[in-house]
Amino acid sequence: MAKKSPLEILLCAPRGFCAGVDRAIQIVELALEKYGAPVYVRHEIVHNKYVVDGLKKKGAIFVEELDEIPETDAPVIFSAHGVAKSVPKEAKHRNMFFLDATCPLVSKVHVEAQRHHETDFEIILIGHAGHPEVVGTMGQLPDGAISLIETVDDVARFVPKGDKKLAFVTQTTLSVDDTAAIVEALRARFPDISAPHKEDICYATTNRQEAVKVVAPLVDAVIVVGAPNSSNSMRLVEVAERAGCPKSLLVQRASEINWGDFSGIKSLGITAGASAPEELVDEIIEAFGERYDISVSAKVTATENIAFNVPRELRTA
């Protein structure tokens, strides 16, 4: 039997589930325990196929819109990404029993946008068009009340609607560095623009990106465990590339690894997006262990001990 080549695996820490994702998954699981199957979930609860498939097996039914749900007494859960105000309004109109799994840090952005609107600011949202979180945030206010900016070039093209004061909010899962460049461009054009009291990019997104920045220059390749529709996972790939590891790849799970991509490597960094469970990281380490003589260590750049409460209806007495 051929001798395995040595491979040093450096795990980014923190990685994987954040408090908002953990809470959202708990909400679905607790609702299934308390009310039984089925439980309806509007949009993927978090952007991870493995998580979604696991919940489907337990009795969760995923839909994109409420009109796909028949008349039912079963709980309806809104995903961690947040929803436009029209969604709970429609749920109330249909007498649905609904539970909101929106991440509290996304809800904070919704509140900020609402507050700016009420105090007559024109609002800019830095984010990615079409992402459910952006759709939900823009849907907090009347059409046209929020302008979306995706790039520094968009800042140059942006034309304020009138002489209102300006304020900006951001999607919570963006690249810290990209957002900083956009904010800098906004401030250069509009020195009096109002910023969030506390940065909108969530602690988990920031921590995972910082960990990758430390690990990427030390390794021959980086794997980000996550889904292609997960904004924070895609940003981790970009951050790893910019931090000095051109071979940075998104992998959903071990069965998808293209081993040709990793031929000749001696060191590998592994991280996971905020909606990717640790089992998938373990699965990938195991797959490398079958082909290489691996040594595994962790690079810890921050410690997280944040937890969010589940809705009152699901708390045990």
Side-chain angles (χ1 to χ4, degrees):
M1 188 176 157
K3 190 167 177 277
K4 293 176 182 175
S5 306
L7 178 69
E8 185 191 349
I9 293 179
L10 205 48
L11 294 174
C12 297
R15 65 182 173 276
F17 278 3
C18 61
V21 163
D22 206 34
R23 172 181 180 269
I25 294 165
Q26 265 191 67
I27 288 171
V28 180
E29 290 178 335
L30 290 170
L32 283 163
E33 269 175 44
K34 184 167 181 177
Y35 304 106
V39 161
Y40 290 91
V41 186
R42 185 191 176 278
H43 191 68
E44 289 187 344
I45 188 72
V46 296
H47 285 156
N48 189 278
K49 187 178 183 304
Y50 177 83
V51 170
V52 168
D53 287 348
L55 293 171
K56 279 180 183 171
K57 282 179 190 147
K58 293 177 181 177
I61 296 172
F62 289 84
V63 299
E64 280 307 305
E65 298 297 344
L66 296 184
D67 60 16
E68 297 167 52
I69 302 173
E71 292 308 314
T72 180
D73 295 329
V76 176
I77 298 170
F78 304 151
S79 80
H81 312 98
V83 293
K85 276 192 171 166
S86 57
V87 176
K89 191 175 172 185
E90 185 193 337
K92 280 176 187 161
H93 178 69
R94 288 187 55 190
N95 293 318
M96 288 175 158
F97 166 49
F98 62 88
L99 298 162
D100 191 354
T102 300
C103 172
L105 299 177
V106 174
S107 298
K108 168 184 156 291
V109 177
H110 291 182
V111 169
E112 278 172 0
Q114 187 73 49
R115 195 186 69 240
H116 286 314
H117 184 62
E118 285 165 3
T119 48
D120 211 30
F121 277 78
E122 182 175 346
I123 304 156
I124 289 167
L125 169 61
I126 302 170
H128 295 298
H131 187 278
E133 186 187 323
V134 165
V135 173
T137 300
M138 294 183 83
Q140 298 306 301
L141 300 177
D143 281 355
I146 298 180
S147 300
L148 182 66
I149 279 184
E150 297 188 81
T151 64
V152 169
D153 289 344
D154 287 349
V155 176
R157 287 189 289 265
F158 173 69
V159 180
K161 293 185 176 72
D163 54 4
K164 285 184 177 183
K165 296 169 291 184
L166 287 174
F168 74 86
V169 293
T170 82
Q171 187 180 329
T172 62
T173 53
L174 298 176
S175 153
V176 174
D177 296 336
D178 285 348
T179 308
I182 294 170
V183 169
E184 198 178 309
L186 279 171
R187 285 193 165 130
R189 266 200 77 190
F190 310 106
D192 296 331
I193 194 165
S194 180
H197 292 306
K198 189 172 182 297
E199 194 176 32
D200 287 336
I201 296 176
C202 91
Y203 77 92
T205 299
T206 305
N207 287 349
R208 279 146 193 70
Q209 289 179 19
E210 289 304 317
V212 165
K213 283 180 191 175
V214 171
V215 168
L218 308 176
V219 293
D220 299 328
V222 168
I223 282 179
V224 176
V225 185
N229 61 337
S230 161
S231 173
N232 74 81
S233 300
M234 295 306 290
R235 299 298 77 77
L236 288 171
V237 177
E238 295 166 4
V239 168
E241 286 168 351
R242 285 183 199 162
C245 187
K247 194 177 278 190
S248 301
L249 302 161
L250 184 84
V251 173
Q252 294 201 69
R253 54 187 315 177
S255 56
E256 289 186 5
I257 295 171
N258 177 0
W259 292 102
D261 289 335
F262 300 97
S263 60
I265 66 165
K266 294 186 168 53
S267 56
L268 172 70
I270 300 179
T271 187
S275 42
E278 189 64 10
E279 300 99 279
L280 299 185
V281 174
D282 294 341
E283 186 184 276
I284 284 168
I285 293 169
E286 208 173 289
F288 274 92
E290 286 167 9
R291 291 162 176 81
Y292 294 86
D293 178 16
I294 61 170
S295 63
V296 182
S297 60
K299 196 78 166 169
V300 182
T301 54
T303 307
E304 294 176 351
N305 50 16
I306 292 171
F308 297 130
N309 281 333
V310 297
R312 199 172 50 251
E313 297 91 333
L314 298 175
R315 291 178 214 160
T316 47

